[in-house]
Amino acid sequence: MNINNDKSLYRTAFNLSLVTIFYNIIEGLVSAYFGYTDETLVLFGFGIDSFIEVLSGIGIAHMIVRFRKNDFNKENSFEKTALKITGSSFYLLSAGLAVTVIYNIYTRHAPETTFWGIVISLASIATMYFLMKAKLTVGTKLQSQPIISDAGCTRVCLYMSFILLASSLIFEFTGISFIDSLGAAGLAFYSFKEGRECFEKAEGEECSCSCGGKCG
């Protein structure tokens, strides 16, 4: 592969990281707002997760800039710190969701509506699928396991979007109160999983989001 083609692919990878960052900022603001006003825990948690994904995206963007400069050293303090902060944030989100799920089930709390959860999840599914496929294509062409790993983590975001869609649809059509909490529990599981993977990446270990590849 020639150098110019490599540079073009790294530019594409960087642009994809920017799309990820800015999309998650918008998604986080909209999801957290409607999750709060409609009292739907799964949508609110989805919004907080989007903000955490912004932190992860910044670390990925920084890594791609290094790669464009032919700096492939795995030991980078900025990216390690970003991973640890992101991982801690995912753990906090998982714990907060778990506690609130228990409280909501005990009090039989139900959201006012999950309409916006349906709308936002559909937009997220389309966006995350595009990003996942594009990152995987670029990472494969560059033979870059970190970029392929990032595509794998985008796949996890896609799974979380499906959880939001399923719980929102079921509640909207059935009105069963605990469905929202069940969806939030699913988000808590994946948030914990992502937090663990962030710390594994920081230590250069293997993680499941990279489809069995190295995280470094």
Side-chain angles (χ1 to χ4, degrees):
M1 187 176 293
N2 61 60
I3 295 176
N4 288 333
N5 193 36
D6 276 1
K7 288 183 177 179
S8 175
L9 288 170
Y10 278 121
R11 189 181 306 114
T12 299
F14 181 72
N15 289 336
L16 289 171
S17 70
L18 290 183
V19 171
T20 302
I21 291 169
F22 288 111
Y23 176 81
N24 275 296
I25 290 174
I26 296 170
E27 181 180 78
L29 289 170
V30 175
S31 299
Y33 172 78
F34 284 109
Y36 178 78
T37 57
D38 293 341
E39 299 183 11
T40 164
L41 178 60
V42 64
L43 182 55
F44 184 79
F46 188 78
I48 301 302
D49 174 81
S50 297
F51 289 130
I52 299 174
E53 296 291 350
V54 171
L55 298 177
S56 176
I58 291 172
I60 294 296
H62 185 272
M63 177 191 70
I64 293 171
V65 169
R66 284 198 302 110
F67 288 176
R68 288 173 66 180
K69 297 177 180 178
N70 294 318
D71 176 8
F72 298 99
N73 182 12
K74 293 182 180 180
E75 301 297 326
N76 184 274
S77 59
F78 177 87
E79 288 154 28
K80 277 193 170 185
T81 301
L83 281 168
K84 289 178 180 179
I85 292 173
T86 302
S88 298
S89 299
F90 275 128
Y91 279 148
L92 287 173
L93 173 60
S94 180
L97 285 173
V99 171
T100 311
V101 162
I102 294 171
Y103 175 79
N104 281 0
I105 291 177
Y106 176 76
T107 60
R108 297 184 179 180
H109 173 80
E112 294 182 4
T113 177
T114 53
F115 170 78
W116 286 108
I118 297 171
V119 174
I120 293 169
S121 62
L122 288 173
S124 182
I125 287 169
T127 304
M128 291 302 123
Y129 181 78
F130 162 76
L131 288 172
M132 178 189 72
K133 297 294 286 186
K135 290 175 182 179
L136 184 59
T137 298
V138 173
T140 301
K141 288 181 178 179
L142 286 169
Q143 297 182 346
S144 171
Q145 190 56 51
I147 296 176
I148 293 174
S149 174
D150 184 40
C153 291
T154 303
R155 183 183 295 111
V156 175
C157 296
L158 184 62
Y159 295 158
M160 296 174 83
S161 300
F162 276 114
I163 290 175
L164 174 62
L165 176 62
S167 62
S168 298
L169 277 172
I170 293 172
F171 176 82
E172 199 68 18
F173 285 104
T174 68
I176 300 174
S177 61
F178 68 83
I179 292 298
D180 182 63
S181 295
L182 190 62
L187 293 188
F189 168 78
Y190 277 111
S191 293
F192 180 84
K193 197 166 179 284
E194 285 197 275
R196 182 182 63 193
E197 288 165 355
C198 284
F199 280 101
E200 288 175 348
K201 282 184 179 183
E203 298 304 321
E205 300 176 7
E206 293 187 359
C207 65
S208 58
C209 74
S210 61
C211 305
K214 290 289 184 182
C215 295

